[in-house]
Amino acid sequence: MIDGKKVLFSGMQATGTLTLGNFAGALRNWVALSDEYECFYCVVDLHSITVRQEPAELRKRARNLLMLYIAAGLDPAKNCIYYQSHVSGHAELSWILNCFTYMGELNRMTQFKDKSRKHADNINAGLFTYPVLMASDILLFQSDVVPVGIDQMQHLEITRDIAQRFNAIYGDVFTIPEAYVGKTGAKIMSLQDPEKKMSKSDENPNASVYLMDDADTIIRKFKRAVTDSEARICYSDTQPGIKNLIEIYCTLSGKSPEEAVREFEGRGYGDLKLAVGETVVDALKPVQEEFARLSKDKAYIDGIIRENADKANYYATKTLRRVQKKVGFPERIR
Ligand code: ATP
Ligand code: LTN
């Protein structure tokens, strides 16, 4: 608890360009929850280097991501928006928690297996211990809730296991966090392969809608979206392409799948694709405009980065000192 409010933590990697999946499954929920909780929204740049990065590019993407958090509607005066690499407590707690995590547990992580397959030439130890760093992010702030898409649930489970294990040995040190998965938009699928999640690292640019895509590009991507030959609009697992379009439409319009199905009853796939495309264009427009404005205001963004890193450091250090004492590190003498 901070000032009587429960704590919320979440983060995104500064790899690739954010997609509609990241927006619908994460960012939008963050904004909706930001009044109710004391929030920490992190640009997890330490996680990014588990995959090889071009340094100048990573720096630029990290800054763009931080600005996108704000452009999407998070008020930086109320929400702590910061870079993970500016708060050394993340790495320090991660080391300690590595010593409370088993190889067998990490071996079971599907993201590790997927990424190892994708980056077979660079299966580094950081990729393996990625979930421990994520657990440290969350536990460092004594977080109560963690909004994430379904794909991150396994990492949340391991975070809870590590925290419970540590607490069982040393007493109540960590708050046990709960995952928060939004009702809609939790898993937006690829427009080219609706069996696969939409991902910012997909090589096919037509598979994902990027937050910065212009209106024509968005409409074109929806027109090309893979569907089926059943020629009927239902919200069903047997029609994953159509289901995904309805899901996107509902997430952004606030309508229920039943309402959407009724609205498009008897109409063709072309109509549905156009309506979804236009809904996405309208939803992204204000974010894009605000992002363009923020990009021009360097001093304002620099100020936010400085102040919020200080705030995050303050709370992180509080937890870290407690943990260090518990495990038996010598007291700091000043
Ligand atoms: P990468 O392709 O680099 O693994 P990603 O697109 O999967 O990236 P992450 O950085 O792993 O994105 O995720 C950021 C947040 O967005 C997480 O909370 C994740 O659950 C959510 N998210 C990612 N993809 C989707 C999706 N297709 N639908 C809903 N939520 C998503
Ligand atoms: N692993 C997450 C990003 C992430 C995160 C976190 C999310 C890193 N640390 C802490 C929530 C809380 C991902 O790939 N989406």
Side-chain angles (χ1 to χ4, degrees):
M1 289 278 217
I2 296 178
D3 295 338
K5 275 186 170 177
K6 285 190 171 182
V7 177
L8 179 154
F9 186 97
S10 203
M12 274 192 212
Q13 291 201 63
T15 42
T17 317
L18 285 208
T19 69
L20 183 62
N22 303 127
F23 183 70
L27 260 184
R28 264 174 48 100
N29 290 327
W30 295 8
V31 175
L33 294 165
S34 66
D35 279 336
E36 197 180 328
Y37 295 93
E38 182 71 31
C39 301
F40 293 84
Y41 292 115
C42 186
V43 171
V44 294
D45 48 0
L46 299 184
H47 281 103
S48 302
I49 64 162
T50 52
V51 171
R52 206 60 77 224
Q53 304 288 339
E54 209 282 297
E57 187 65 21
L58 175 60
R59 212 175 340 265
K60 194 170 120 208
R61 283 189 170 150
R63 191 171 173 104
N64 283 348
L65 182 56
L66 188 132
M67 289 193 290
L68 259 179
Y69 285 2
I70 302 168
L74 295 172
D75 178 353
K78 287 202 226 136
N79 302 283
C80 188
I81 296 173
Y82 73 102
Y83 295 125
Q84 191 183 27
S85 61
H86 285 190
V87 178
S88 59
H90 288 272
E92 292 184 68
L93 182 60
S94 188
W95 171 255
I96 296 172
L97 296 185
N98 266 323
C99 304
F100 292 85
T101 309
Y102 299 112
M103 301 286 283
E105 286 178 299
L106 294 174
N107 251 327
R108 286 197 292 274
M109 296 290 119
T110 49
Q111 184 174 301
F112 172 68
K113 289 188 231 170
D114 289 349
K115 296 228 162 156
S116 305
R117 231 173 284 129
K118 244 183 175 165
H119 305 277
D121 55 338
N122 181 22
I123 307 177
N124 60 70
L127 199 59
F128 189 63
T129 58
Y130 179 114
V132 185
L133 179 57
M134 178 160 162
S136 306
D137 299 341
I138 296 167
L139 301 178
L140 198 53
F141 294 93
Q142 306 291 351
S143 312
D144 297 281
V145 283
V146 184
V148 282
I150 289 167
D151 61 306
Q152 293 298 313
M153 283 303 279
Q154 206 183 21
H155 289 162
L156 244 293
E157 293 301 327
I158 197 175
T159 300
R160 290 164 58 89
D161 290 345
I162 296 169
Q164 273 155 352
R165 186 171 304 144
F166 195 95
N167 284 356
I169 305 171
Y170 299 105
D172 269 343
V173 178
F174 294 123
T175 302
I176 309 299
E178 303 275 349
Y180 174 94
V181 179
K183 284 186 202 71
T184 56
K187 200 164 186 188
I188 302 297
M189 310 310 275
S190 154
L191 296 187
Q192 290 299 311
D193 176 0
E195 307 281 351
K196 229 174 68 180
K197 84 160 188 163
M198 184 182 285
S199 160
K200 53 182 145 65
S201 54
D202 201 309
E203 272 123 43
N204 181 352
N206 288 322
S208 307
V209 172
Y210 300 108
L211 291 200
M212 288 300 142
D213 278 347
D214 60 34
D216 290 347
T217 309
I218 295 174
I219 300 289
R220 181 171 42 79
K221 285 181 178 177
F222 278 102
K223 278 188 181 156
R224 287 189 189 168
V226 169
T227 50
D228 52 56
S229 53
E230 293 195 28
R232 63 190 174 110
I233 295 176
C234 296
Y235 184 74
S236 147
D237 288 335
T238 59
Q239 291 181 268
I242 294 297
K243 184 178 177 194
N244 190 36
L245 292 177
I246 295 176
E247 185 76 26
I248 295 171
Y249 185 66
C250 292
T251 307
L252 299 179
S253 66
K255 292 179 187 167
S256 68
E258 295 74 35
E259 282 174 298
V261 168
R262 226 175 298 128
E263 187 179 337
F264 290 100
E265 212 176 335
R267 291 163 69 185
Y269 286 179
D271 280 5
L272 175 67
K273 286 177 171 183
L274 189 62
V276 180
E278 283 171 351
T279 305
V280 172
V281 169
D282 289 345
L284 297 187
K285 197 161 167 246
V287 180
Q288 294 177 345
E289 286 172 355
E290 183 61 5
F291 180 83
R293 202 184 64 74
L294 292 171
S295 305
K296 293 190 199 113
D297 202 345
K298 183 170 183 307
Y300 170 68
I301 298 294
D302 285 350
I304 286 165
I305 291 172
R306 215 175 307 119
E307 281 164 30
N308 281 333
D310 286 348
K311 179 175 171 185
N313 260 308
Y314 169 80
Y315 289 106
T317 307
K318 255 171 97 166
T319 301
L320 189 64
R321 293 291 175 263
R322 240 181 113 199
V323 171
Q324 288 169 332
K325 192 169 170 197
K326 290 283 184 188
V327 297
F329 293 165
E331 208 181 315
R332 280 160 197 258
I333 300 158
R334 18 180 141 250

